[in-house]
Amino acid sequence: MGGEESERCRHLMSDLQKMMPHSKKDAKLDLKDGVGVVNEIADMENCDLSVLFEVRRREDLYMWLSKAPSGPTIKFQCQNVHTQDELKLTGNCLKGSRPLLSFDASFKEEPHFRLIKEMLTQIFAVPRGNNKSKPFIDHIYQFSVVDGRIWFRNYQLIYPANEKDGAEGMELAEVGPRMVLNPIRIFAGSFGGATLYQNPGYSTPTELRRMAKQRQSGKYVSRKGDQARRKKHLEENELGPDPMADVFTNDD
């Protein structure tokens, strides 16, 4: 990995690892043989859920969520990523505390969103009694669907000073990180297998960059065409000598 997006990815992975005390981190992988090698690592680490970050072209970030060994696997493109260090928000939560998970009603509307909700729940929810977690809850993860993308936010739960006020007096303060997950494809197996869902409206970053270049080149070609037509018009309609040019000439 390299470049600005790779650095942001490393900071994002660090943030997520702090948020998930039940996770295990592995070294950077060489994916020449494909992403399926992650299954072997998960088996050695005795893990049944995997999160893989993949950076392409040093600027495109992807996240894979997989249930090992039999699947399913969900591939997202990570967009609008902002880490905790970037945001410098006022919220704060204790390292190792357990979160609440909140999903908006859109996750119930379509089958692929119901599957995504289940995968996100299994990965982000800290198991009760985990030996690396703390036995209380002081933050909440919010997952919202907007324009077919999943917006992630992390908020601190600020309890009221008077415990009698209950949840009515509770406030939220954003902690970070922030990210938007654009679903690309859902596979039946772990890092492979039959396609269960493919986003029909998804365009790869390379396609978007090519279309942007075509629009820019189209503007350039149009501008050059206008200049050529203007030049041709002036040549075809060249003005002759002005008959009034000598009217005010002083004969003296």
Side-chain angles (χ1 to χ4, degrees), residues 157-198:
L157 298 173
I158 303 176
Y159 294 93
N162 187 354
E163 295 181 358
K164 294 182 180 180
D165 293 341
E168 295 180 358
M170 188 179 297
E171 297 179 356
L172 299 177
E174 189 173 356
V175 181
R178 296 175 179 175
M179 60 181 172
V180 177
L181 303 176
N182 189 7
I184 301 174
R185 186 176 296 190
I186 301 178
F187 300 93
S190 182
F191 291 103
T195 298
L196 300 179
Y197 168 79
Q198 185 168 358

Side-chain angles (χ1 to χ4, degrees), residues 136-151:
F136 50 86
I137 294 170
D138 65 351
H139 60 293
I140 182 171
Y141 301 154
Q142 171 65 35
F143 297 92
S144 305
V145 177
V146 180
D147 296 331
R149 295 172 170 84
I150 300 168
W151 294 58

Side-chain angles (χ1 to χ4, degrees), residues 79-249:
Q79 302 169 316
N80 302 332
V81 174
H82 298 283
T83 63
Q84 292 180 358
D85 289 340
E86 283 182 294
L87 296 171
K88 300 186 185 300
L89 297 168
T90 58
N92 190 17
C93 57
L94 191 63
K95 184 178 180 180
S97 59
R98 298 176 63 230
L100 294 174
L101 271 63
S102 173
F103 296 87
D104 71 9
S106 300
F107 282 92
K108 299 179 181 179
E109 295 177 357
E110 298 184 51
H112 68 280
F113 277 128
R114 290 198 292 269
L115 178 56
I116 291 173
K117 176 184 176 181
E118 181 61 30
M119 287 289 290
L120 291 172
T121 300
Q122 293 190 24
I123 287 175
F124 282 91
V126 178
R128 185 173 183 178
N130 183 272
N131 57 2
K132 294 184 179 180
S133 66
K134 302 205 169 40
F136 50 86
I137 294 170
D138 65 351
H139 60 293
I140 182 171
Y141 301 154
Q142 171 65 35
F143 297 92
S144 305
V145 177
V146 180
D147 296 331
R149 295 172 170 84
I150 300 168
W151 294 58
F152 172 82
R153 296 291 186 270
N154 176 26
Y155 296 99
Q156 176 193 1
L157 298 173
I158 303 176
Y159 294 93
N162 187 354
E163 295 181 358
K164 294 182 180 180
D165 293 341
E168 295 180 358
M170 188 179 297
E171 297 179 356
L172 299 177
E174 189 173 356
V175 181
R178 296 175 179 175
M179 60 181 172
V180 177
L181 303 176
N182 189 7
I184 301 174
R185 186 176 296 190
I186 301 178
F187 300 93
S190 182
F191 291 103
T195 298
L196 300 179
Y197 168 79
Q198 185 168 358
N199 188 348
Y202 176 75
S203 297
T204 66
T206 302
E207 292 174 345
L208 295 176
R209 284 190 288 267
R210 185 175 65 250
M211 288 189 289
K213 287 182 179 179
Q214 288 176 347
R215 287 194 295 269
Q216 291 296 327
S217 64
K219 292 179 182 178
Y220 175 80
V221 171
S222 177
R223 185 169 66 251
K224 286 298 183 181
D226 291 341
Q227 292 175 353
R229 285 190 293 272
R230 176 64 177 169
K231 183 178 180 181
K232 182 179 180 181
H233 173 77
L234 293 176
E235 291 174 351
E236 293 176 350
N237 298 275
E238 184 176 359
L239 296 176
D242 186 358
M244 306 295 292
D246 300 330
V247 171
F248 297 102
T249 303

